Amino acid sequence: MIIAKQVISSIIEEKKKNNKEPSIASFTEIQSVVIRSLKSEINELCKTGEIDKHKTLNGWAFTIKEKRND
């Protein structure tokens, strides 16, 4: 699970490490990190077969696969 404080802290630490000012995390930067992480998690769930990906007119949709007790 993505924790807001951890995301903000990692952005600030990366900026300090690279001597970038101001050493603050903008909302846009936070969104970018969260979106990248979410996309990665969704891709992994698709690879492991836990969810299905469906093409729609405007993009993609997802469903959770039901577990079968065979």
Side-chain angles (χ1 to χ4, degrees), residues 29-42:
E29 292 168 322
I30 295 166
Q31 281 181 309
S32 178
V33 170
V34 171
I35 289 168
R36 278 195 312 269
S37 179
L38 184 58
K39 283 182 179 180
S40 176
E41 287 183 40
I42 289 172

Side-chain angles (χ1 to χ4, degrees), residues 5 8-10 15 28-29 31 36 38 40 42-43 61 65-66 70:
K5 191 173 179 182
I8 294 167
S9 179
S10 69
K15 285 185 172 186
T28 304
E29 292 168 322
Q31 281 181 309
R36 278 195 312 269
L38 184 58
S40 176
I42 289 172
N43 286 337
K65 288 186 177 179
E66 292 186 28
D70 291 345

Side-chain angles (χ1 to χ4, degrees), residues 41-51 65:
E41 287 183 40
I42 289 172
N43 286 337
E44 189 60 34
L45 289 170
C46 286
K47 285 180 189 174
T48 61
E50 294 181 56
I51 63 173
K65 288 186 177 179

